Amino acid sequence: MTAARPGPAFSVHDIPFSTHGSWFDISPVVAEKTYAEDLHLVSHQNGMHAVLRLIPLDTATGDRTEARVEATPGLLSWIGAGGRVDLAFESPDTVRLRGSGLGMRVSAAAQALTPFSGTYFFRDPAADAHVFTSYETGHRYRVTVLSGTVAETAGAQALGSGDRGLAVTAAADGTWEMAIEELDTSRPPYASSARFDEIVEAAKRGFRDFVDAVAPWRSSATPAAELAAYVVWSATVRPTGLVTRPAVLMSKHWMDKVWSWDHCFNALALAPGCPELALDQFALPFDHQDDSGALPDSVTHSEVLYNFVKPPIHGWAFSHLRRRLPTPPGEAELAEVYGRLERWTDFWLTARRAPGAELAHYQHGNDSGWDNATTFDPERVVVTADLAAFLVLQLRELAELATELGRQDEAHRWTRAAEDTQTALLEQLWTGDRFVAQGVASGDIWSSSSLLDLMPIVLGEHLPGEVGSALADHIKAHLTPYGLATELTTSPHYLADGYWRGPIWAPATVLVEDGLRRAGHHRLADDISARFRALCETHGFAENFDALDGTGLRDRAYTWTASSYLLLAEAHAHRDGR
């Protein structure tokens, strides 16, 4: 059997080490923008919680020793002057570690233990193992030493504050092994017949199978494809808690949720190679659709939030998704999506239209997904052109679905609603040169320097030619060497790390590129795609990027960025005939 290639190397300071299906990772990132000196086992159940600290040891002194960390998709290693420690995922809830020449201390990350927080530590005689039980995650972390010596333990059964953990070493010329499991209350003692090298090889093959499925088109012209696939693969979790399906979290750093527009980009990237997982991504927020038809703002292990919504890009997304699937959805699947999209659309046309209004409104910038965009500076309860454009596309998709389902009367109704909404958009918000926003309470009208005002380009072929050309001209002004700045860099409101007030974002890039291409502006679309792909190939898959120097900002391992790269790279490869 040929050994699987190791896959791309990466820094754990940027991308956590994890595996498909797991709810924990190994990383120095222990909270938002917080980096620890040592790697930690970080769980994403009940929130993000650093549970265990992993400390390489000098076997002669038992003290912490310096070691560089190397990571590829199947293997994480600490490498020091005297030896090394390797770690690999045996399964989504179990890691195996093997050391030679270095020891390892496994300690509770939190020293304080109260009746409501912290990590209790004890030896479990029934399993012949040491157990950390975490208040924050509600889970246990069992350490079973398979070979070597438990050189010391500290804090077993202790209450209050103090060190808790164990150190494992071996003779100078020997090795040691241990397993760490994340579990609920109990399970049989750890047992495995697999050798460590076999576990590593299986982990490599798991990733290799995934990347071969989602990026079979990759080549030297798309050098970041494998790392993008790893970001998506490693951020996928199995169904647990309120997560009803296998889910791609936005990150296994602190952005460890599924937001109700982010998921669409992951679904699109996965569709050709992993169709079932792609459909799960699209459907997951709809599993929590409320009685009004609204989708939640976000979903994660133990929390579903409804305080805001996200923009209705789902008609646009499903139109693309079903055409990217290797097998078109059947009638029953189409009917289910149709019902869910119908309720989501009715929410916007009822709960989000003022009496007598033709156009829907946002209640806050967060509803748009562009939380602090300058479009929302004058007021927050606002009628915006992007929202109307997304609804036009969603209404058109509903009309198509109704036609395919043989519901002609409903198809005519949705088509009329789409045409009426687009007419109202152009009559009420188009000035002849640009789109404006309008305050619902005041009736005031304004424009901004935000790329959000130009998002009606998503209407593509449905736009009048002169409108599409004017939008394309304005979009060009947002281009930097790295991509589309979300606020004009000449604006007095531009901020290098201003979230939606300047940085480059993946979803805006994909939506604009697609709309321009469908509107016939292929050269500009090609330019935007090329700049964003080069940005990711140089600076990785951050949540967003400095528009003027390309630096990755905020969370550095964001799946919708990785998926957007995969979408654009795949399309580029196919256009080039590869």
Side-chain angles (χ1 to χ4, degrees), residues 383-407:
V383 173
T384 64
D386 69 296
L387 174 54
F390 291 139
L391 284 172
V392 169
L393 293 178
Q394 193 149 294
L395 289 161
R396 290 187 180 278
E397 180 63 9
L398 281 168
E400 280 203 35
L401 290 170
T403 298
E404 293 184 38
L405 293 168
R407 306 178 189 184

Side-chain angles (χ1 to χ4, degrees), residues 54 100 106 132 167 191 264 274 336 348 364 378 464 481 495 502-503 526 554 556 562:
L54 305 175
S100 175
V106 182
F132 299 84
C264 292
C274 300
E336 180 180 43
W348 287 99
H364 187 281
L495 294 170
D526 287 345
R554 309 294 174 115
R556 301 299 180 91

Side-chain angles (χ1 to χ4, degrees), residues 44-61:
H44 298 274
Q45 303 200 61
N46 290 322
M48 178 186 185
H49 302 288
V51 181
L52 302 179
R53 184 181 179 191
L54 305 175
I55 309 164
L57 302 178
D58 183 310
T59 54
T61 65

Side-chain angles (χ1 to χ4, degrees), residues 200-506:
V200 173
E201 191 63 25
K204 291 178 182 178
R205 290 190 183 282
F207 169 68
R208 183 57 51 184
D209 290 345
F210 180 84
V211 73
D212 285 345
V214 301
W217 40 262
R218 66 194 186 278
S219 71
S220 59
T222 55
E226 291 195 3
L227 190 57
Y230 176 73
V231 170
V232 175
W233 178 79
S234 64
T236 303
V237 296
R238 64 188 184 279
T240 303
L242 296 172
V243 174
T244 50
R245 304 164 182 263
V248 181
L249 303 178
M250 287 312 102
S251 175
K252 280 185 181 169
H253 288 325
W254 58 88
M255 300 295 281
D256 55 354
K257 297 183 180 183
V258 177
W259 276 268
S260 292
W261 70 310
D262 310 41
H263 68 112
C264 292
F265 300 91
N266 289 332
L268 290 173
L270 291 165
C274 300
E276 291 185 9
L277 185 59
L279 288 168
D280 281 333
Q281 300 325 295
F282 184 79
L284 193 151
F286 286 96
D287 291 346
H288 298 278
Q289 194 168 21
D290 74 8
D291 291 341
S292 74
L295 297 184
D297 186 25
S298 62
V299 178
T300 191
H301 171 268
S302 54
E303 176 185 83
V304 179
L305 298 180
Y306 292 91
N307 53 328
F308 295 106
V309 291
K310 284 293 174 277
I313 70 166
H314 302 83
W316 169 86
F318 191 69
S319 175
H320 285 284
L321 177 63
R322 63 197 184 105
R323 290 165 176 80
R324 287 177 57 77
L325 294 168
T327 302
E331 184 175 349
E333 293 172 293
L334 291 180
E336 180 180 43
V337 173
Y338 177 78
R340 289 176 157 190
L341 281 179
E342 179 180 34
R343 293 176 58 218
W344 178 218
T345 306
D346 284 342
F347 163 80
W348 287 99
L349 300 180
T350 53
R352 291 300 182 88
R353 282 204 295 194
E358 295 179 276
L359 296 176
H361 60 265
Y362 293 128
Q363 295 178 342
H364 187 281
N366 289 1
D367 286 340
S368 75
W370 294 51
D371 308 3
N372 66 334
T374 53
T375 301
F376 301 99
D377 281 0
E379 300 178 38
R380 259 59 64 197
V381 183
V382 179
V383 173
T384 64
D386 69 296
L387 174 54
F390 291 139
L391 284 172
V392 169
L393 293 178
Q394 193 149 294
L395 289 161
R396 290 187 180 278
E397 180 63 9
L398 281 168
E400 280 203 35
L401 290 170
T403 298
E404 293 184 38
L405 293 168
R407 306 178 189 184
Q408 293 303 328
D409 290 345
E410 293 178 33
H412 292 318
R413 175 167 62 89
W414 294 124
T415 299
R416 285 195 304 271
E419 292 170 349
D420 291 346
T421 301
Q422 182 160 329
T423 297
L425 166 64
L426 294 170
E427 289 181 350
Q428 297 175 31
L429 299 181
W430 178 248
T431 66
D433 176 63
R434 64 185 306 115
F435 283 103
V436 294
Q438 183 173 31
V440 174
S442 68
D444 292 345
I445 289 175
W446 63 86
S447 63
S448 77
S449 298
S450 175
L451 184 64
L452 183 63
D453 293 5
L454 308 178
M455 291 307 293
I457 193 65
V458 298
L459 287 169
E461 70 275 19
H462 304 297
L463 281 171
E466 66 276 12
V467 176
S469 294
L471 290 174
D473 287 341
H474 286 303
I475 287 166
K476 289 177 189 175
H478 284 262
L479 266 179
T480 76
Y482 303 96
L484 289 170
T486 46
E487 178 80 6
L488 285 175
T489 58
T490 55
S491 164
H493 305 294
Y494 173 85
L495 294 170
D497 188 10
Y499 223 49
W500 292 92
R501 301 169 81 92
I504 295 165
W505 285 80

